[in-house]
Amino acid sequence: MIDNQPKKTKAYIAGVNLNDPNFDYYMTELANLTEANNMEVVGQSFQNAESIVAGTYFGVGKINEIKTMAKGLKAKVLVLNDELTPVQIRNLEKLTKMRVIDRTELILEIFASRARTKQAKLQVQLARLQYELPRLHPSENNLDQQRGGGFANRGAGESKLELNRRTIGKQISAIKKELKAVASQEEIKSARRNQSRLPKVALVGYTNAGKSTTMNGLLREFSKEAADKQVFVKNMLFATLDTSVRRIDLKDNFSFILSDTVGFISKLPHNLVESFKATLQETRDADLLINVVDASDPNMVQMIRTTQNVLDEIGVKGIPMITAYNKADKTDRNYPQIEGDDILYSAIDPKSIKLLADLITKRVFANYEKFDLILPLSAGKELAYLHDRAQVLREDYQDDGVHIEANIAPADQAKFKQYLA
Ligand SMILES: Nc1nc2c(ncn2[C@@H]2O[C@H](COP(=O)(O)OP(=O)(O)OP(=O)(O)O)[C@@H](O)[C@H]2O)c(=O)[nH]1
Ligand SMILES: [Mg+2]
């Protein structure tokens, strides 16, 4: 086989450990993120310290060591485990003669390269501009160059830095406006789904855990239009950056709305989380969360903690949750199996998907109540409503009306009390 892949940029990764018990895990994530950004990790090192060196992040000795190591390994980029100040980045670039990127920049670059929809692109752009704004430096005249210097005279005494700030400020408000327009369309769609009163189930979890694969599995088993409704699945970090919403029809007319959204990772840049709030709306509105976990990953426990931290940050609390331990086929455990509120399964196994559906049914439809109703023959609309939203168990046309036995959602129970047999 001929390898046409362009050679990947070689990267050296490093960080300061301020006595953090999760440091190793963060470095593993950093390596994965670096690879996800199409670079090859050729080496790594860290420094144990009590505090960060204000001007240079590392101490001088460590910087020299990194420079020598990285040079020997032909690394062109130095990737750092924290968000650095602009001064730290500039100083490190001078001292190491390498391009230096911090963890935030790395995540922003991955998101930028993955964004496909207008909303995702705008959200990433917004996060990036907000990251850049406080980092503008008087010596950077790039705007000036773009405009051939013509703008430099504008507003006597206005420095290039102020001009740059003002321009970025304007871009930020323009993007916010556009995002609002996109979001309000989204809101309309979401309001319609709210009206439908079907229970809402949201897939959440660490990136690459198998959320989208789980959604596709449920669609394959329980949706009539599965073929064109499948969502994008790939073995990479942040394959999904949008929210997809689908209707799932389980047996006996138990239907719910399922959403799949962007995955999480540790230390997600705050601006990015802020920018993606609209995308994460479905998660906040859910009646039940399915926290998909990669049970075959040795870092599973930290990944669960990471997901919980991000959920806290986006303001998700008090929503019932099923922990769904996925990829059981890559472990030596028996699956599928239910363990209390949770499930061990494999999203690529139909039997597993059916068991997951059973578990969802049990949780979501727990408060449904069985009603014996007699609807007048003229109540065609109510009858259609029941068939759409309730679990109709028996239906019998008689002289005095339609006799119906149905499991009805809490929200609809008052509406049908008048027809009780
Ligand atoms: N062996 C195995 N692979 C799985 C299983 N579930 C998902 N995968 C694989 O794991 C990778 C990631 O799956 P996705 O469904 O895209 O994961 P995700 O959680 O949506 O990831 P992001 O959208 O990137 O956050 C893909 O290569 C899937 O084929 C499983 O049960 N078993
Ligand atoms: Mg996905």
Side-chain angles (χ1 to χ4, degrees):
M1 221 172 82
I2 305 163
D3 186 9
N4 297 328
Q5 294 279 325
K7 272 226 158 77
K8 287 185 176 173
T9 306
K10 290 185 179 2
Y12 193 89
I13 67 172
V16 174
N17 184 4
L18 301 174
N19 207 4
D20 184 340
N22 291 316
F23 182 77
D24 287 347
Y25 169 61
Y26 291 143
M27 287 299 287
T28 307
E29 275 191 336
L30 190 70
N32 291 337
L33 285 166
T34 305
E35 304 267 350
N37 202 22
N38 224 9
M39 296 187 276
E40 181 192 351
V41 178
V42 291
Q44 60 171 295
S45 60
F46 66 94
Q47 179 169 38
N48 287 320
E50 292 299 318
S51 62
I52 299 284
V53 177
T56 51
Y57 184 64
F58 295 113
V60 179
K62 196 74 200 176
I63 296 172
N64 286 332
E65 181 196 308
I66 289 174
K67 188 178 169 183
T68 310
M69 297 282 290
K71 198 171 172 198
L73 294 160
K74 297 196 168 57
K76 296 279 178 281
V77 181
L78 175 60
V79 183
L80 302 172
N81 190 33
D82 294 292
E83 184 169 315
L84 271 65
T85 67
V87 173
Q88 288 167 342
I89 292 184
R90 255 193 311 276
N91 285 340
L92 281 172
E93 285 191 333
K94 264 188 225 142
L95 292 167
T96 62
K97 308 259 179 322
M98 296 165 83
R99 183 182 172 220
V100 174
I101 57 179
D102 65 5
R103 190 173 172 114
T104 300
E105 171 72 21
L106 183 63
I107 295 177
L108 284 172
E109 281 182 11
I110 297 170
F111 269 62
S113 70
R114 304 277 201 260
R116 291 285 170 271
T117 64
K118 186 168 180 192
Q119 192 182 23
K121 281 183 187 160
L122 287 169
Q123 290 176 142
V124 177
Q125 241 177 314
L126 179 62
R128 150 140 288 165
L129 288 170
Q130 283 171 335
Y131 171 73
E132 279 170 9
L133 190 59
R135 298 170 169 262
L136 289 176
H137 190 260
S139 69
E140 285 161 11
N141 294 338
N142 40 16
L143 264 185
D144 216 32
Q145 284 158 6
Q146 274 170 26
R147 293 169 188 250
F151 261 72
N153 294 334
R154 201 180 145 156
E158 182 176 53
S159 71
K160 284 163 195 157
L161 175 63
E162 282 162 6
L163 179 61
N164 286 356
R165 274 201 190 123
R166 218 151 45 86
T167 308
I168 291 198
K170 271 190 193 155
Q171 284 176 319
I172 288 179
S173 33
I175 291 178
K176 277 188 174 163
K177 222 170 169 181
E178 249 189 287
L179 263 176
K180 243 193 189 147
V182 180
S184 68
Q185 289 163 11
E186 282 301 312
E187 267 167 38
I188 293 167
K189 279 189 238 157
S190 153
R192 242 179 251 140
R193 286 192 294 268
N194 272 334
Q195 260 173 17
S196 91
R197 291 213 185 143
L198 290 178
K200 295 202 278 182
V201 179
L203 293 158
V204 296
Y206 198 86
T207 181
N208 214 41
K211 299 176 292 298
S212 300
T213 308
T214 300
M215 179 177 232
N216 285 344
L218 286 163
L219 282 168
R220 206 172 295 117
E221 297 298 324
F222 302 107
S223 169
K224 285 140 217 152
E225 324 125 301
D228 58 323
K229 294 254 174 156
Q230 296 270 304
V231 294
F232 180 61
V233 164
K234 200 167 174 190
N235 188 17
M236 65 181 189
L237 303 186
F238 306 115
T240 305
L241 285 195
D242 323 286
T243 297
S244 301
V245 179
R246 303 283 188 269
R247 180 178 166 139
I248 302 289
D249 297 300
L250 303 177
K251 63 179 190 312
D252 301 330
N253 220 7
F254 275 147
S255 302
F256 62 90
I257 301 291
L258 181 67
S259 65
D260 171 36
T261 194
V262 57
F264 304 151
I265 203 157
S266 309
K267 303 194 205 180
L268 264 178
H270 181 70
N271 288 333
L272 205 53
V273 174
E274 241 347 275
S275 305
F276 271 75
K277 282 236 158 114
T279 290
L280 293 163
Q281 188 60 38
E282 295 292 329
T283 308
R284 283 198 294 276
D285 290 347
D287 301 299
L288 176 71
L289 299 177
I290 302 178
N291 180 4
V292 181
V293 175
D294 181 348
S296 72
D297 195 299
N299 291 314
M300 182 181 85
V301 175
Q302 280 107 323
M303 289 169 164
I304 294 174
R305 197 177 309 132
T306 297
T307 298
Q308 194 51 57
N309 290 343
V310 181
L311 288 174
D312 289 345
E313 194 179 344
I314 61 173
V316 171
K317 35 175 192 288
I319 303 178
M321 182 152 93
I322 291 173
T323 306
Y325 296 93
N326 186 30
K327 306 196 188 182
D329 56 299
K330 290 170 80 179
T331 71
D332 52 12
R333 302 181 57 193
N334 279 334
Y335 71 95
Q337 71 183 11
I338 305 263
E339 290 164 357
D341 283 345
D342 303 329
I343 180 171
L344 177 71
Y345 78 117
S346 165
I348 50 176
D349 162 46
K351 226 174 109 191
S352 289
I353 290 294
K354 284 181 190 132
L355 193 66
L356 177 64
D358 286 346
L359 188 60
I360 295 172
T361 311
K362 239 202 262 158
R363 292 291 291 273
V364 171
F365 301 101
N367 296 322
Y368 275 48
E369 249 177 68
K370 199 195 273 179
F371 276 52
D372 282 310
L373 307 171
I374 302 176
L375 265 66
L377 291 165
S378 59
K381 233 168 137 186
E382 284 80 357
L383 209 57
Y385 186 93
L386 274 182
H387 274 284
D388 196 30
R389 316 283 153 81
Q391 184 196 23
V392 176
L393 303 166
R394 195 174 52 82
E395 183 180 35
D396 196 8
Y397 282 76
Q398 295 186 14
D399 290 346
D400 61 341
V402 192
H403 290 229
I404 286 191
E405 187 186 328
N407 285 322
I408 298 180
D412 290 331
Q413 286 166 7
K415 184 182 168 110
F416 287 96
K417 282 230 159 91
Q418 55 177 311
Y419 301 117
L420 276 173

